Amino acid sequence: MKPAPFEYYAPATVEEALPLLGEYGYEAKILAGGQSLIPMMNFRLAQPSVLIDINNLSELFYIRPGDSGVCIGAMTRHCQVERDTLVSERAALLYETMPKVATQQVRNRGTIGGSLAHADPAAELGAVSIAMDSRFRIRNQKGERWVNADDFFVGMYTTLLEPEELLVEIMFPSLPPRSGWSLVEVARRPHDFALVGVVAVVALDKNDRCTHVRLVLLSVGDRPMVAHQAMKTLLGQTPSSGVIRVAAETAAKEDIDPGSDIHASAEFRRHLADVLTRRSLEQAFERAKAN
Ligand code: FAD
């Protein structure tokens, strides 16, 4: 398959890219790692008349310490995040997630900004960014705005990015003191998109009571799904197998409404959500207790 014809621009700086986005708006698509966009263009599911290649924007390739965590430029490739010492020290959940994202070949080209902007509800990074309370820096010709990861994803492959906007940076804050984290998922084959995945971040006080919890499920809705009801059952509780069981059942029954497709029935996805939420919380609380 070959893509439909398009005009190609390769700006050298963000300042050059933004006017192009402003001029072409909905007609244009940004090309980052191309791992999702190029197959869609080849199948003609996407037919942009203008392609704005941002691979020359060297100012968007970086990993730096942030106020308390780590700031990552949107064009940083998955493989760089996967091997970065600062990420391993300051954002252990993100570090552990990277090898689970696609195959090494895809990770060599795919970018963190591209994955988040693509907003596949089965992608790990969207759920992890919400669980870590990350913030996204977005630019257009007029200036910039910061958006919470929780607000960024608005539907299936849809974010609140406007066509003239560029995602430029993602800030992953450090987790609270005495916190623990976990990402567990089930896929048919290693490196396939997960049938269901669960990301948990928890924190405990000195009496081992849960003071902070983020529970986000992937592949069970049109975007990463925050398990608000399940989170309520955990706050203020001392974690036990009973407390965790109630939270997992609540997540699977009340917080999600998964659909059936060729990969899995809704019933099987709900079952996985229950089992994986339990495993994820168990691991997260174990880690928090050890801190
Ligand atoms: P591109 O394909 O270049 O762009 C994707 C979309 O984002 C396009 O609409 C583009 O215009 C837009 N975009 C890109 N950058 C920006 C920006 N800075 N600002 C605004 N818009 C932007 N992902 C997972 O999470 N888990 C998996 O298990 C997984 N498995 C995969 C398996 C295969 C075989 C393949 C091909 C991909 C898989 N992926 C998986 C997706 C992979 O992570 C991609 O790299 C990612 O989705 C897109 O990143 P990219 O840099 O290639 O973006």
Side-chain angles (χ1 to χ4, degrees):
M1 294 292 288
K2 293 277 182 279
F6 55 85
E7 270 183 74
Y8 174 80
Y9 293 91
T13 62
V14 170
E15 293 308 324
E16 277 179 36
L18 295 176
L20 289 168
L21 286 172
E23 182 179 348
Y24 291 108
Y26 282 107
E27 289 171 52
K29 274 279 177 200
I30 294 166
L31 175 67
Q35 299 303 295
S36 300
L37 181 59
I38 296 297
M40 286 172 70
M41 288 174 65
N42 285 344
F43 283 113
R44 304 214 173 188
L45 296 169
Q47 299 195 19
S49 51
V50 175
L51 205 56
I52 301 173
D53 182 344
I54 59 170
N55 281 271
N56 293 333
L57 307 189
S58 51
E59 64 215 276
L60 298 186
F61 291 77
Y62 61 85
I63 300 175
R64 297 182 190 135
D67 278 351
S68 60
V70 62
C71 294
I72 305 185
M75 275 305 291
T76 309
R77 303 206 190 270
H78 298 325
C79 62
Q80 293 168 293
V81 182
E82 183 181 358
R83 295 182 196 129
D84 192 81
T85 327
L86 195 66
V87 175
S88 79
E89 286 166 7
R90 291 187 167 218
L93 169 56
L94 176 65
Y95 188 74
E96 275 190 15
T97 299
M98 296 317 296
K100 297 179 176 161
V101 175
T103 58
Q104 189 65 64
Q105 290 89 336
V106 172
R107 294 200 298 276
N108 286 343
R109 290 297 301 170
T111 65
I112 190 153
S115 178
L116 294 166
H118 189 55
D120 187 324
E124 288 86 356
L125 289 174
V128 165
S129 67
I130 295 174
M132 291 183 71
D133 294 322
S134 308
R135 302 188 71 218
F136 298 173
R137 185 154 69 92
I138 295 168
R139 283 199 59 187
N140 67 11
Q141 272 177 286
K142 293 186 189 139
E144 67 171 42
R145 60 178 174 143
W146 282 91
V147 168
N148 293 334
D150 217 352
D151 301 323
F152 183 74
F153 303 96
V154 297
M156 186 72 78
Y157 301 106
T158 311
T159 68
L160 50 59
L161 281 172
E162 296 293 338
E164 73 280 6
E165 287 184 320
L166 182 67
L167 173 60
V168 291
E169 180 180 282
I170 303 96
M171 201 275 283
F172 293 91
S174 291
L175 300 185
R178 283 208 84 200
S179 58
W181 65 91
S182 174
L183 162 60
V184 291
E185 58 182 25
V186 165
R188 287 199 181 277
R189 297 171 305 185
H191 308 296
D192 271 2
F193 277 105
L195 292 178
V196 175
V198 180
V199 186
V201 173
V202 299
L204 298 172
D205 66 12
K206 59 180 180 359
N207 298 317
D208 278 354
R209 266 195 303 266
C210 177
T211 52
H212 170 91
V213 56
R214 301 292 270 154
L215 199 52
V216 191
L217 284 79
L218 53 106
S219 235
V220 290
D222 66 353
R223 68 195 88 175
M225 304 301 290
V226 180
H228 290 286
Q229 299 307 321
M231 282 159 35
K232 277 187 202 158
T233 70
L234 291 163
L235 269 181
Q237 300 289 327
T238 306
S240 65
S241 54
V243 166
I244 290 174
R245 196 182 62 244
V246 169
E249 283 172 7
T250 307
K253 284 187 187 144
E254 295 180 30
D255 285 313
I256 58 169
D257 187 14
S260 297
D261 57 29
I262 53 167
H263 303 295
S265 66
E267 190 189 357
F268 184 47
R269 280 204 161 90
R270 243 188 238 286
H271 169 71
L272 287 178
D274 186 345
V275 174
L276 298 181
T277 302
R278 192 154 29 86
R279 288 183 191 164
S280 176
L281 285 170
E282 281 166 0
Q283 185 180 35
F285 279 123
E286 278 307 310
R287 281 176 157 165
K289 278 183 193 163
N291 269 333

